[in-house]
Amino acid sequence: MNNARLTAIRELVLTRWRTFYREPGTMFWTFGLPVVLSIALGMAFRNEEPEPLPAAVQEGPRAEHVREMLAKSKDIEAKVLSPEAAHQALRTGKVHVVVIPSDNGDGKVTYRFDPTRPDSRLARTLVDDALQRGEGRPDVVPTTTQHVTEPGSRYIDFLIPGLVGMGLMSSGLWGIGFALAEMRTRKLLKRLIATPMHKSDFMLSFLLVRAALLSIELPPLLVFSYFAFKVGINGSIVTLTLIALLGALVFAGMGLLFASRSENPQIVSGLINVATFPMYLCSGVFFSTARFPDWTQPFIKLLPLTALIDGLRAVMIDGAGILQLTSPILVLAVWGSVCFAGALKLFKWH
């Protein structure tokens, strides 16, 4: 590569950089949104004593006796309701289980709950345990309880790497794909045809700016997470940066691919939404990918956001080294190579 091309790339990078920080909206979506999400979700899932699970006791001769036994448990908040009110409360999620005492004098109770709701299954177990104990059932196995609250095992420790990955995906796709489509709409790309610039140099400038932005995009969220929620990094900061850089370049390449022939931002917006929606749901940003059926796991593991988040979590939570990240690195490398090669092949100036 000669000096003229290097100079051209440098000027293109400077142009892209100035365009970025002059857009207030882009600054917010890049820096503000991940911090706002971490504050909101961190407050929602902060460590504190769990709330008692609401349960209803259906009206009847033994209802008050059952409620008094449940009141002795700190894990259950029970109240007596009419059959109609209890059904309505269960249907709308205001209670997780309805206890129906038998009127026949045999001491039997019936539990009504939705077995597909985890809170309902838990409430049924706690209610049954409280009632059995209340009627004098002895504990045949002595047990003790140990609460796990140290950093690394909390939901916020799981959430922050997901938010980092989601932020890298959003800024890569929207920041580059949308911006490139706007340049085409405003006829700015058409003017560049008259210059001796290579399209590979033009597209490389987007990737270089994306890599440079990572140095000011990643630290604020990590620093905020550490001071606000004590979320640390158990692995190497260098390894974490390399994984984040690879992920940022993959989504930047994907943004270039989506905008390589799109004639207006609306088309790019549609393509980005189609690509990102499955990853928002399936890649483990807010909950584990293990919740999906086993037959879907190979496909989920091949999604670029899944690979990025898995790599970030492995470094931040498990302290994984670079050799332990072979699988996510390989997935990201393949996605990045395919997207950038496709963008080079399909790109047009007008």
Side-chain angles (χ1 to χ4, degrees), residues 56-317:
V57 181
Q58 186 170 298
E59 281 182 345
R62 298 181 58 245
E64 189 58 32
H65 173 66
V66 171
R67 191 200 66 78
E68 289 176 357
M69 284 194 292
L70 294 179
K72 297 176 182 177
S73 172
K74 65 177 182 180
D75 297 321
I76 300 293
E77 182 179 8
K79 53 187 175 183
V80 178
L81 297 176
S82 66
E84 295 78 14
H87 175 73
Q88 178 69 8
L90 180 65
R91 189 180 65 81
T92 57
K94 294 179 179 177
V95 299
H96 297 311
V97 62
V98 176
V99 185
I100 307 174
S102 172
D103 297 338
N104 297 330
D106 55 3
K108 182 180 177 181
V109 296
T110 300
Y111 302 117
R112 179 183 294 165
F113 67 103
D114 181 354
T116 63
R117 289 160 53 182
D119 283 343
S120 290
R121 294 202 304 272
L122 175 60
R124 189 268 181 205
T125 302
L126 292 174
V127 166
D128 185 68
D129 181 68
L131 292 181
Q132 300 293 350
R133 286 170 180 266
E135 294 293 351
R137 182 196 68 182
D139 291 332
V140 296
V141 178
T143 61
T144 59
T145 302
Q146 294 181 348
H147 293 164
V148 179
T149 58
E150 73 270 16
S153 60
R154 305 163 301 171
Y155 178 70
I156 192 68
D157 299 301
F158 175 88
L159 177 65
I160 292 299
L163 292 180
V164 171
M166 188 183 71
L168 293 175
M169 179 181 72
S170 298
S171 52
L173 290 175
W174 291 102
I176 291 181
F178 207 76
L180 188 57
E182 271 202 332
M183 292 178 70
R184 181 175 288 112
T185 303
R186 294 159 60 189
K187 310 298 183 185
L188 296 179
L189 295 183
K190 196 172 183 179
R191 298 177 188 176
L192 298 177
I193 298 178
T195 71
M197 179 173 53
H198 297 261
K199 66 178 181 182
S200 59
D201 295 347
F202 176 71
M203 299 176 78
L204 179 61
S205 68
F206 282 84
L207 298 185
L208 292 176
V209 171
R210 186 70 194 91
L213 283 175
L214 187 67
S215 62
I216 57 174
E217 177 182 351
L218 190 59
L221 180 58
L222 295 179
V223 171
F224 172 80
S225 303
Y226 177 78
F227 285 104
F229 303 112
K230 303 299 181 187
V231 176
I233 302 172
N234 290 325
S236 165
I237 187 69
V238 175
T239 305
L240 182 72
T241 304
L242 288 176
I243 289 292
L245 176 61
L246 185 55
L249 293 179
V250 166
F251 290 113
M254 195 175 289
L256 288 174
L257 177 62
F258 290 159
S260 59
R261 282 184 178 270
S262 302
E263 296 181 355
N264 57 66
Q266 288 73 28
I267 295 177
V268 175
S269 175
L271 291 173
I272 292 176
N273 282 323
V274 168
T276 56
F277 187 68
M279 290 191 279
Y280 280 133
L281 291 179
C282 304
S283 291
V285 176
F286 301 106
F287 54 86
S288 172
T289 58
R291 288 178 175 269
F292 292 97
D294 291 342
W295 65 268
T296 64
Q297 296 300 321
F299 302 101
I300 291 176
K301 292 294 182 185
L302 291 178
L303 295 174
L305 184 59
T306 306
L308 174 59
I309 292 175
D310 285 349
L312 294 172
R313 285 200 179 110
V315 177
M316 294 182 68
I317 298 176

